[in-house]
């Protein structure tokens, strides 16, 4: 029969071994320090043994983490004051470097992101910031990733989240957009007038080739007027009569012009040419 002291010692050993068992999830890695020295490679996932107090572990998650960059006061190249914030997605590639090289890799990445955001956006104009945001996001990501690569952190993406413009700038942009829309409306209206005038010229040229079509158009207009219930009285006038009247008036005007005829002489019955 085992004596009580030995039984107590065995129980302590069993409890110690049970407490040394650590289970790491699939997305976790453990950086183990044995007597203050780090092991060559992070352990996990699965079951590992950690013999305290000789061993100490630091758990590191390999999942992507989203970090919001606080709003930054930025002065663009064209001297416009803005407040811009961004969202950064990052993940740990080398858990050992992420634990050893920096005290807090999330805080370190956040500081790099704030300074990079101010420096990059301060070099561009407002129009470029609003129109080419994808290019700026890619540039910021490349710069931040170059800073975080030495301590085993990969910056997956950077997105400029919100751009707060001053109230005066918003009013100026609204006026600019309104003026642009008015300019487009005037151009469209002018193009419509030009097309209508061009169609009228084409129609006039076509009617000139066939004079009878003008008479038919005249009769069609009379029909349209007669359909409506109104008090308008229309007297049809033949177009040939109008043509005859025009020729008569032209002949009378030509006869009245000076130097084209003779006047009778008051002293004799003969006529002499007008000087």
């Amino acid at each position: 029969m085992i004596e009580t002291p030995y039984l107590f010692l065995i129980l302590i050993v069993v409890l110690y071994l049970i407490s040394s068992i650590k289970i790491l999830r699939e997305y976790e890695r453990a950086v183990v320090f044995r007597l203050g020295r780090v092991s060559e490679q992070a352990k996990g996932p699965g079951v590992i043994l950690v013999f305290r107090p000789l061993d100490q572990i630091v758990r590191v998650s390999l999942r992507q983490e989203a970090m919001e960059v606080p709003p930054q006061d930025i002065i663009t190249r064209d001297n416009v004051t803005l407040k811009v914030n961004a969202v950064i997605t990052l993940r740990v590639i080398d858990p050992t470097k992420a634990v050893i090289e920096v005290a807090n890799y999330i805080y370190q990445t956040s500081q790099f992101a704030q300074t990079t955001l101010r420096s990059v956006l301060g070099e561009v104009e407002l129009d470029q910031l609003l129109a080419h945001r994808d290019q700026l996001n890619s540039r910021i990501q490349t710069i931040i990733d170059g800073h975080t690569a030495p301590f085993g952190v990969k910056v997956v993406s950077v997105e400029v989240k919100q751009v707060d413009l001053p109230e005066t700038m918003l009013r100026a942009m609204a006026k600019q957009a309104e003026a642009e829309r008015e300019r487009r409306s005037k151009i469209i209206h002018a193009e419509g007038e030009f097309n209508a005038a061009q169609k009228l010229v084409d129609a006039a040229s076509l009617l000139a080739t066939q004079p009878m079509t003008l008479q038919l158009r005249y009769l069609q207009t009379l029909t349209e007027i007669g359909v409506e219930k109104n008090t308008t009285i229309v007297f049809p006038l033949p177009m040939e009569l109008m043509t005859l009247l025009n020729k008569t008036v032209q002949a009378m005007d030509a006869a009245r012009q000076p130097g084209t005829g003779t006047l009778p002489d008051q002293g004799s019955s003969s006529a002499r040419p007008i000087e």
Side-chain angles (χ1 to χ4, degrees):
M1 184 175 181
I2 303 176
E3 296 181 359
T4 303
Y6 293 103
L7 182 62
F8 184 72
L9 181 61
I10 293 173
L11 181 61
I12 293 176
V13 172
V14 171
L15 293 176
Y16 177 75
L17 293 176
I18 293 175
S19 63
S20 300
I21 298 175
K22 303 295 180 182
I23 300 176
L24 299 178
R25 300 179 179 88
E26 184 66 30
Y27 57 84
E28 289 182 331
R29 297 295 184 270
V31 180
V32 180
F33 293 89
R34 177 162 296 173
L35 296 178
R37 293 181 178 273
V38 67
S39 59
E40 296 181 356
Q41 188 176 1
K43 296 182 179 181
V47 179
I48 63 173
L49 296 177
V50 179
F51 300 103
R52 297 180 181 275
L54 302 179
D55 294 343
Q56 295 179 350
I57 67 169
V58 178
R59 294 175 181 260
V60 179
S61 176
L62 301 183
R63 294 180 294 182
Q64 291 187 5
E65 299 183 21
M67 179 183 63
E68 183 175 0
V69 180
Q72 303 296 311
D73 293 326
I74 297 173
I75 301 178
T76 60
R77 188 175 180 180
D78 49 352
N79 297 325
V80 179
T81 304
L82 305 174
K83 275 187 174 296
V84 181
N85 63 345
V87 176
I88 297 178
T89 305
L90 55 89
R91 61 176 300 182
V92 177
I93 302 299
D94 191 338
T96 303
K97 289 184 178 180
V99 173
I100 295 177
E101 298 294 336
V102 292
N104 189 337
Y105 66 89
I106 296 181
Y107 177 77
Q108 191 92 352
T109 305
S110 176
Q111 295 302 310
F112 283 140
Q114 294 179 31
T115 55
T116 304
L117 190 67
R118 287 196 296 267
S119 62
V120 171
L121 298 185
E123 297 175 357
V124 299
E125 296 182 356
L126 177 61
D127 294 338
Q128 185 178 359
L129 172 60
L130 298 177
H132 304 284
R133 190 173 296 184
D134 294 338
Q135 299 178 3
L136 296 175
N137 292 338
S138 178
R139 182 181 174 187
I140 295 172
Q141 176 187 352
T142 303
I143 296 175
I144 299 176
D145 191 51
H147 288 296
T148 59
F151 52 85
V153 175
K154 171 66 177 177
V155 177
V156 179
S157 64
V158 176
E159 296 290 339
V160 176
K161 184 178 180 181
Q162 185 175 357
V163 179
D164 294 332
L165 297 172
E167 189 67 24
T168 55
M169 183 59 63
L170 290 176
R171 289 196 296 268
M173 294 177 66
K175 291 181 180 178
Q176 180 182 2
E178 184 179 358
E180 179 67 21
R181 288 193 296 268
E182 185 177 357
R183 181 184 69 86
R184 293 180 181 177
S185 65
K186 290 182 178 180
I187 291 176
I188 294 173
H189 180 71
E191 290 178 352
E193 293 291 339
F194 175 79
N195 294 332
Q198 186 66 39
K199 293 298 181 181
L200 290 175
V201 171
D202 296 340
S205 301
L206 182 60
L207 292 175
T209 58
Q210 298 292 334
M212 186 57 65
T213 56
L214 187 60
Q215 183 70 21
L216 295 176
R217 179 59 180 166
Y218 175 70
L219 295 176
Q220 183 181 359
T221 304
L222 294 179
T223 304
E224 294 176 355
I225 295 175
V227 171
E228 299 179 357
K229 296 180 179 180
N230 50 34
T231 59
T232 304
I233 300 175
V234 179
F235 294 97
L237 186 64
M239 299 302 297
E240 291 79 2
L241 181 58
M242 295 297 299
T243 304
L244 181 60
L245 290 176
N246 290 332
K247 291 181 178 180
T248 303
V249 172
Q250 292 177 1
M252 294 177 63
D253 292 339
R256 292 175 181 176
Q257 292 180 359
T260 59
T262 59
L263 294 176
D265 191 356
Q266 298 178 358
S268 63
S269 61
S270 62
R272 59 184 179 86
I274 300 175
E275 294 294 329

